[in-house]
Amino acid sequence: MFHTTIKAALAGVALVALGISGAQAQQALKLGYSLAPTSHYGVGATAMAEELERLSDGKFTIEQFPANALGGEREMVEGAQIGTVDIVITSTGPVGNFVPDTLITDIPFLFRDYEHAHAVLDGPIGQEILAQFPNHGLIGLAWGENGFRNLTNNVRPIRTPEDTQGLKVRTMENQVHMRAFQELGVLPTPMAFPELFTALQQGTVDGQENPIGVILSANFSQVQDHLTLTQHVYSPALIILSPIVWDGLTDEEKGWFEEAAAAGAAAMREKVREDADNGVATLKEQGMQVVEDPDRAAFEAALQPAFAEFAERFGQDKIDAIRNTGM
Ligand code: EAX
């Protein structure tokens, strides 16, 4: 009772703060992401904003805060929980610390290709994971995309797991990724993305791993010599909405948000594919030495002990259900 009253009071304050007084009121939403406006996240955010504005006839507008302006991905997700950020486009990197069910999607060598990932995430398995978000104070509107991740470093060209021994590699703040990298003999160094460029520049870490679109967008070619197309893990992205916004919407408006997020996700995926297809040539022009055909089978084999742990933790049946999708 007490809490309900406080919540109602807070909601009232929030509505007044947003200038909402009636059905015609407009609502400007803050959307944050970690990359530049020209990146796949920026393209996705713009597509979502246009669609939401169109569907709602201008009632809902989106203001973009690119390039970590609202903090790193973990901080932005926290912001969505408490309502200081309305919408976040984020990799799954830190999301498993909030919604543990997303962690299964972070297992290396789980998804064969983009089509496989889309079939899983847009199908029942992915939708069941999105359905868990409200239990953790978040709304998962749609699966977007970050892309298959590739290893860069400043020490040597990487072709086999022997080459990764002793490297200090920045990982996302993600337990599954850290566990896997440990198995490759690297020193996994979890770090928020906004700190990464400087850490690479100053040699605090030797390397990092990210999709081609991120490596391009973040100008990592300026601070990394070697790129290996390891494609060791698919990196999903999520479009997350603050429950404080969601709870104030009518059913029709909720539908608009879902439809707009789907449009954003589709645009994001298209841009990821474009960068993956064309970006390596650009990175070579920028001076990176590229190993295009590393021994991926050897990397996958080296991860067996980590896979055994993941099977125990997440359930072999669940992992198989993902692997067997579309087979
Ligand atoms: O979401 O932290 C990361 O490496 C992410 O891939 C990046 O911020 C894009």
Side-chain angles (χ1 to χ4, degrees), residues 60-179:
F60 296 102
T61 56
I62 288 180
E63 192 185 350
Q64 296 186 38
F65 293 81
N68 309 302
L70 302 179
E73 294 187 332
R74 183 172 48 76
E75 292 163 306
M76 288 191 283
V77 175
E78 280 166 4
Q81 278 185 326
I82 59 172
T84 53
V85 179
D86 298 314
I87 306 170
V88 185
I89 297 180
T90 175
S91 72
T92 49
V95 178
N97 301 320
F98 300 86
V99 186
D101 279 27
T102 64
L103 281 171
I104 194 170
T105 68
D106 298 313
I107 296 176
F109 297 101
L110 179 64
F111 295 105
R112 293 181 295 278
D113 49 34
Y114 286 106
E115 287 71 24
H116 179 208
H118 300 170
V120 171
L121 298 175
D122 298 341
I125 296 174
Q127 298 312 300
E128 272 166 35
I129 299 174
L130 289 185
Q132 293 305 312
F133 277 63
N135 300 333
H136 305 280
L138 294 165
I139 303 298
L141 282 181
W143 289 100
E145 184 159 85
N146 196 19
F148 279 93
R149 302 178 79 89
N150 300 289
L151 186 61
T152 70
N153 85 99
N154 264 342
V155 178
R156 55 184 164 256
I158 304 289
R159 293 190 176 81
T160 69
E162 283 73 55
D163 299 328
T164 54
Q165 299 303 312
L167 276 189
K168 204 168 172 190
V169 176
R170 176 270 179 173
T171 69
M172 296 196 288
E173 299 163 284
N174 181 290
Q175 306 154 26
V176 169
H177 284 200
M178 288 174 65
R179 176 66 191 85

Side-chain angles (χ1 to χ4, degrees), residues 34-35 41 73 91 146 149 170 172 193 209-211 214:
S34 62
L35 303 171
Y41 289 168
E73 294 187 332
S91 72
N146 196 19
R149 302 178 79 89
R170 176 270 179 173
M172 296 196 288
F193 189 74
E209 39 83 54
N210 252 305
V214 176

Side-chain angles (χ1 to χ4, degrees), residues 182-235:
Q182 228 170 14
E183 209 58 60
L184 297 177
V186 311
L187 198 68
T189 308
M191 187 185 289
F193 189 74
E195 293 161 41
L196 181 52
F197 188 92
T198 308
L200 292 168
Q201 194 170 40
Q202 298 183 341
T204 317
V205 289
D206 300 316
Q208 65 85 42
E209 39 83 54
N210 252 305
I212 296 300
V214 176
I215 297 171
L216 276 171
S217 173
N219 297 315
F220 286 154
S221 67
Q222 292 177 8
V223 286
Q224 292 278 271
D225 298 333
H226 301 285
L227 163 66
T228 300
L229 303 184
T230 44
Q231 313 261 72
H232 53 276
V233 67
Y234 174 75
S235 185

Side-chain angles (χ1 to χ4, degrees), residues 36-59:
T38 49
S39 68
H40 48 289
Y41 289 168
V43 168
T46 300
M48 178 176 177
E50 284 172 1
E51 188 65 2
L52 185 62
E53 205 170 328
R54 189 185 69 78
L55 288 166
S56 70
D57 209 6
K59 175 169 179 184

